[in-house]
Every structure is written in C-alpha cells, then in structure tokens.
Amino acid sequence: MPSSIEPEITERDDAIIGQMFWRSISLFSITLVLAVIGGGIWVYSSQKRARPEFAQANKPPAARETNTDVPDLPYADITQSAGITFKHTNGATGEKLLPETMGSGCAFLDYDNDGDQDLLFVNSCSWPWDAAPKGPPPTMELYQNDGHGKFTNVTADSGLGVTFYGMGVCCGDYDGDGWTDVFFTAVGKNRLFRNNQGKFVETTDEARVGGDPQEWSASAAFFDFDNDGDLDLFVGNYVRWSREIDMVQGFKLDGQTRAYGPPTAFTGTYPYMYRNEGGGKFKDISAESGVQVKNPNRDVPVAKTMGVLPIDIDADGWLDLIVSNDTVQNFVFLNQRDGKFQEVGIHCGLAFDSSGNARGAMGEDAADFRNDGSLGVSIGNFANEMTALYVSQPKSMLFTDEAIATGVGPPTRQELTFGIFFVDCDLDGRLDLLESNGHLEQEINRVQKSQHYEQPPRILWNAGAEAKSEFVSVPPAKCGADFSKPMVGRGSSYADIDGDGDLDAVLTSCGGAPRLLRNDQKLGHHWLRVKLTGHAPNREALGATIKLKSGTTQQTRVVTSCRSYCSASELPVTFGLGASQAIDGLEIRWPDGKMQAVKVDKVDQLIRIEQE
C-alpha cells in the first residue's frame, strides 16, 4: 500500500502490459529452476510425509473464440428498504491516523439457528483522547433476518452493543454447543463473544484471546489446524502502531497538507495462533507454532497482515493458511501435522508478483474456479497494482500469477481493492469474482488525477477457460447503477438473504453506510444449496469439502466463512447448475476425513446433510 503522497503513476498501455506478460514468462523459467531445486530439498526433508511435491506450473489454457457475451447481472441496493441503518464510525477528526482509513468488516451468520442468514457489522469509535461526540456511542450492530431479506436491528438485546475500535470479525462455534460464536479484531484488545442460544456473552478473558492491547489486529479465522475436532483461532496483526508513532512521521499530501502514511513507515508485527484446549479456553502457541516470521537481516517481524484464509493447499487433510501481507511478502503456512507450520510462500510462488515485488495486499479468497481441480488464489491489491490471481496445477503446490492471461489484471489495475471473493453470480456453474474498492485518502485526486476516494465495485464474470478472455469485467449497464455507484469500499461478504437460491452481497464503507445488494438476475439457471452439520464439537463442519457432479462438470466447494477482508460469509454452499436439472453425484469429505455420498433427486432447493 504505497503512500498517497507518491507522484501519480502513468497508466500502462496495452503494449507495456504485453511486455510484462512475456517478461513474466522469462522470469518464470528462472523461477522454475529454483523451484525444482527447492522442491527437491523440500521432498527430501519431508519424504516421510505423503504430500504432493512442488510441481511445474500449469500453462494458461489456449484462448479460443467462444461466446463471451456478459449476461445481465443486476443488483438492487436494498439497504434502506431492508431495514439496515448502520453507519461506520472511524473516529477521524483531522489528525489523519492510519486506522481511520481501514474501515471494517461484516459477517453473514445464522446467529439464532432459524435457518436464514443474519447480518453483523463491525464498528469503530472515537479516539480516547478526543472529546466524545454527542449522542450514544457507536457499537457493533446485529440485524435479524426474517427469511425474506427484511432485517430488524436486534443489537440492544443481543449482547453485542459494545463500543471499541473494531476492525474485523470471524465466526465459528468454538465451544461445540451448536450456536455460532463471534470474534472481533480491533485496534487494542480483541473480543470473543459466546453465543448463548441467541444471546451473546463476552468470554475474552476466560478464553485468553484478548491479545496485546498495544497491537492492531485485522483478519482472523476459526479453523481446526490440529484435527482434534474443535476450532482453533488464527489472528493476523497489521503493523506496530500508536498515535505517537503516526504523528511524528509528518506525512504530507502535497508538501503541506497532513496525509495518511503508508505501512512502509511502520514496522511489522507477529500474528497470534491460539489452540483450543476445550472447556472454553485457548492457549497461545504463537511462538512454537512457526507463524512468527522474522526478517533474517534485521531480526524484526515481517508480517503486516490484512487477509487470512484457511485452506488445505496440499490436499493432505490438514488445513494450511494463506496470509496476505501489505507491502511485504505473502505467507503460506504449511501444516506440518505436529502442531507446527512451515512458511513456504516463496516456494509456492504466492509470496510476490511475477517480477518478484511485494504488493499492497488486502483481502483474499481461494477456489477451484475452473472446475478442473486447480486452486485459484485471488488477492486484492493497492491502486495501480492489478488484482492477483495465482493458479496452481492440479495436485500441485506451485502457483503462477495468471491475472493478465485470464483477463483479471488489466481492468483491476486502477482500483484499490479491499474486499474480494469468488461467487457464482449467475448460477452458471463457474465462479466469478466480486471486488469492493475504495482509496485511503479523501483528497487523492488532487495529486493523482487517475485516482478517486470513492471507487465503484467490480464483478469479473467467469466466461470459462476456453473463452478468449477467461474473466470479463461486467459493465454498469449489465450489473446496474446501484451496484456500480462509487463508494469507499472495505469489507464484503455474501449470502442468500431471501431464499431464492442466488447469492446477495453486502459491502461496507469506511466512515459511511454499507450497501446491501440483492441479486436480481433472471437467467433461469438451476442451483443446489447444501448446509452441513458435522460431529460435535465441529458441528458447523468447517473445513469440509463438497464435490458435486452434473454431467461432465464437477464443482468443488470448501466450508469456511473466512474470506475477503476482515469479513465472514455464510456457511451453506451454493452450486450453480446452469441449464442442467440433474445431479449425478454429491460427495462430502468431512473434517475428520470420512467420506459420505448423498443422493439428490431434485434441484433448486436447500438440502441439509448430517454426518453419518
């Protein structure tokens, strides 16, 4: 995330983009040799484990002339009509303190176990050294869904009407009682709330997950890293920050006006890894778990974490972590199955861009968007940096950034992308990308004419691997003025809020109102939604994999709520089926490794499956 005071970067034309692409191929050849050597060392050191080796990167699919007409994907802004009155408070009074720019996250969750998706917003507050504004202090806000997309503010009676400088949220049933709990990250002490049958009670201190009150945490994730059945907790911290550190820097926008500073001016910090000990308690195992990465030259922490994603990257049945870091290398924490992780981001090709540079990485998501067994990892980056789309070869741990080759890169270069996730907007069976965008500096247009504080969200429609352009940016005429209206986008998540099978979205805004967007596509495509219930204590089946076969197409989904930036999405998974009305197979790999096949007789329904 470069400083807003840097000179305007001249936009590259198509010729330069082409040069970058061919140069990346040359660099990749060198990288491949190094990767093979590194892979040999890795295999030698890990030969007792039957995990896939680092393999040669896949070749981008050959472009073919196929129909890439973008379908109508209209989204309607129903924020007010749905009953959402939340407005984010960032505490800004003119001092231009870095946390004021980061906005906050949101979550879709079924907090009351009635089968529909409720909505939770993370709020911040005034700074303690400023005079408190008149009126009630800002709090987190929880909205109950009536099942048809109408929401009621239930914050006052929920136990979540609390005030602190919140940043992100993750959801998970950490005590195994069948009710989804919530964990908030913050500037300062983090907070854990146990869901007591629809009422939340703070359990931060007894669970021992508050962290250092001097830290600034961003994205976090509940996941079972040790395969003991209960949910552990990873918390990404951003930078070492304080008002004093920020103010002494003297950041300037135009040589005179105070500006928000870049993360490069702040030192990195370590994340937290908490192991669930049962009985509602966690143990901090950050130091011994291998997630504390130091700069070998300066003996200081490297991480400046914005995004966290639990995913089984090597398909060995143990969840790993992909961590996006701002202006420093991204991490891949490979689960060693003994309570420890090994950082292998460089070996995997996910640490840097194709030129070996770190980017201003924000939110992230991963999915099998080609339906071919490969894994795509998409990371939103800073303005004048393309959205990354790293793609693996099936059963491989080597990724290459195919953003340019797939069509993701060029249209996304100008925006500053925070929230990002894969979602099948049109239910055609191919996962699209949805991005939430917005700059950090209100007056950025004064010094960079190509940049604006408010920026439109973007949908990148998946036209298929054989199309001339695999991803196509959806124009405003196709997704509607409500969707395309510029905003200061930050967190984002999705859910089917009205029970019609397609997926709706919510985007938060830094210092402003969110945007709840109802998916109004009318393409007539079929679908299947699946909600899993696993064995206690992981009754939400986090980490389970579902594969659906329809005709010659096999789709894969992983049950996780953690994706995007500081946010959580619904747990039921959605399979778009296009014109198909037949499901030839549905198979579940539960978190404990057991397999279960389920017969599905009809489409266009939500099915609930309990583990045998």
Side-chain angles (χ1 to χ4, degrees), residues 169-172 219-227 230-236 272-274 291 305-324 331-335 341 350 362-368 375-379 399 420 422 494 538 540-545 556-569 571 591:
V169 61
C170 69
C171 305
S219 292
F222 281 112
F223 75 122
D224 182 10
F225 87 89
D226 51 5
N227 280 2
D230 54 28
L231 297 182
D232 311 296
L233 178 63
F234 179 89
V235 182
Y272 303 132
M273 177 66 79
Y274 297 104
V291 300
T305 299
M306 299 286 269
V308 175
L309 185 66
I311 191 82
D312 184 3
I313 195 172
D314 57 353
D316 67 347
W318 295 71
L319 288 172
D320 314 296
L321 286 168
I322 302 175
V323 176
S324 55
F331 296 151
V332 176
F333 289 117
L334 193 66
N335 195 327
F341 292 83
L350 288 163
M362 312 297 182
E364 60 176 325
D365 196 11
D368 179 7
L375 182 65
V377 178
S378 191
I379 300 176
F399 291 73
I420 187 168
F422 287 99
Y494 65 80
N538 186 7
E540 295 173 323
L542 294 185
T545 300
T556 303
R557 301 285 187 272
V558 177
V559 179
T560 179
S561 69
C562 182
R563 49 174 47 91
S564 187
Y565 167 71
C566 289
S567 299
S569 292
L571 289 180

Side-chain angles (χ1 to χ4, degrees), residues 26 57 148 220 224 248 296 510 570 604:
S26 299
H148 303 285
D224 182 10
V248 77
C510 184
E570 66 171 3
D604 300 336

